[in-house]
Amino acid sequence: MSDYVQFINGIKRKTGIDLALYKEAQMKRRLTSLYEKKGFGNFVDFLSALEKDRDLMNEFLDRMTINVSEFYRNGKRWEVLQNKIFPLLLQSNKRLKIWSAACSTGEEPYSLAMVLSHHLPLSQINILATDLDENVLQKAKLGLYPERSLAEVPKPIQAKYFNQEEQFYKVKDEIKRTVTFKKHNLLKDSYESNFDLIVCRNVMIYFTEEAKDQIYANFSKSLRSGGILFVGSTEQIFNPARYDFEVEDTFFYRKK
């Protein structure tokens, strides 16, 4: 048994996270960089240290999850969401059930609330936002971001929903109140049902084909008929019918 296999078995026992479902080359590269930086020579010694040191374990979890995000990422897709997808969904339901899956530091669910506020008062907006990493969820709840994270945010929205605090921008409480953050493992935990919209972007590229297949099938079961899955710009689903999806627009899939 290789030291990496021993490592992923140990991590699964300790945390319930199955690293075997992530692309091995990418994960090994990321984690080797971490353990070498910390002065370890192999995965077995690194695992032993992780089991004893909670701070090191938290740093490992941060490195394992991919926390690259920004508001309105790939802005043209958010225009489609605002001008086409939300009006379509609101035809049949004025209280949309929305899930931002693998939400990282919160830019995505807050963007969803801001876009939906063009159609509904904030008091009628409720978004579930989940991530595997408790550290990024804490950052998301804080809602404080560097200016570069807002590069794609339309200026009127930036003025309306952010307060500038020195070189940072803080999401206003009225937007924060629309989002509920929870810890969730896409590969292990159960999924809620009857969502109108699920957003999961720029995450699937790190999973194996087997893991992607499992997650897409679960997303399909979690959407109501006519509900929409919104994926990232490198994550086109080439066989949407396999999951009971039809293409609604580029990177938007409608549940049959």
Side-chain angles (χ1 to χ4, degrees), residues 6-233:
Q6 290 181 59
F7 181 83
I8 62 177
N9 288 344
I11 292 298
K12 188 173 183 180
R13 271 196 318 274
K14 183 80 174 172
T15 68
I17 296 166
D18 190 353
L19 296 183
L21 293 171
Y22 291 78
K23 291 179 179 174
E24 183 173 322
Q26 291 177 343
M27 187 57 67
K28 279 178 92 167
R29 193 163 54 242
R30 191 174 303 118
L31 296 178
T32 299
S33 169
L34 177 60
Y35 79 57
E36 288 178 346
K37 187 176 90 172
K38 294 296 180 182
F40 298 100
N42 56 61
F43 279 107
V44 173
D45 291 345
F46 187 39
L47 176 63
S48 179
L50 286 171
E51 290 175 336
K52 299 168 189 168
D53 186 334
R54 183 168 180 80
D55 289 340
L56 186 62
M57 177 63 83
N58 285 336
E59 188 172 350
F60 153 73
L61 290 171
D62 269 348
R63 182 62 63 94
M64 191 212 74
T65 52
I66 316 301
N67 300 319
V68 178
S69 190
E70 61 191 42
F71 290 89
Y72 286 67
R73 188 173 182 177
N74 311 118
K76 294 295 181 185
R77 295 299 89 203
W78 290 87
E79 289 179 16
V80 173
L81 181 68
Q82 178 177 321
N83 298 324
K84 178 180 178 181
I85 302 300
F86 275 141
L88 179 70
L89 292 172
L90 288 164
Q91 285 177 10
S92 55
N93 186 8
K94 296 299 182 188
R95 286 275 188 177
L96 299 181
K97 186 175 182 180
I98 300 171
W99 179 18
S100 170
C103 69
S104 188
T105 44
E107 292 92 334
E108 181 178 277
Y110 291 139
S111 295
L112 286 167
M114 292 172 194
V115 171
L116 187 50
S117 73
H118 290 275
H119 301 283
L120 291 174
L122 292 177
S123 61
Q124 292 180 25
I125 298 174
N126 293 288
I127 295 164
L128 172 66
T130 66
D131 201 276
L132 178 66
D133 187 340
E134 289 179 336
N135 292 331
V136 301
L137 290 174
Q138 290 306 314
K139 293 175 186 173
K141 290 174 184 176
L142 182 63
L144 191 65
Y145 301 94
E147 186 174 6
R148 67 176 180 275
S149 295
L150 281 69
E152 297 259 13
V153 179
K155 291 301 179 186
I157 293 295
Q158 187 172 314
K160 188 174 183 180
Y161 291 132
F162 292 87
N163 290 319
Q164 187 169 358
E165 298 187 359
E166 297 179 351
Q167 71 271 42
F168 292 94
Y169 288 79
K170 192 162 191 177
V171 176
K172 289 187 177 180
D173 287 346
E174 62 199 275
I175 289 292
K176 282 188 186 180
R177 282 192 289 269
T178 67
V179 182
T180 301
F181 291 100
K182 290 183 181 177
K183 184 177 179 181
H184 183 270
N185 185 340
L186 286 170
L187 295 166
K188 179 186 172 190
D189 296 333
S190 61
Y191 290 35
E192 291 185 27
S193 59
N194 292 316
F195 285 105
D196 297 281
L197 174 68
I198 297 175
V199 182
C200 187
R201 309 181 73 227
N202 310 300
V203 176
M204 304 294 276
I205 53 173
Y206 300 104
F207 292 126
T208 63
E209 292 304 313
E210 173 196 2
K212 287 182 194 175
D213 186 60
Q214 173 191 329
I215 293 169
Y216 284 139
N218 284 335
F219 281 154
S220 179
K221 291 174 190 171
S222 291
L223 284 164
R224 66 164 178 82
S225 178
I228 297 288
L229 174 65
F230 178 19
V231 302
S233 58

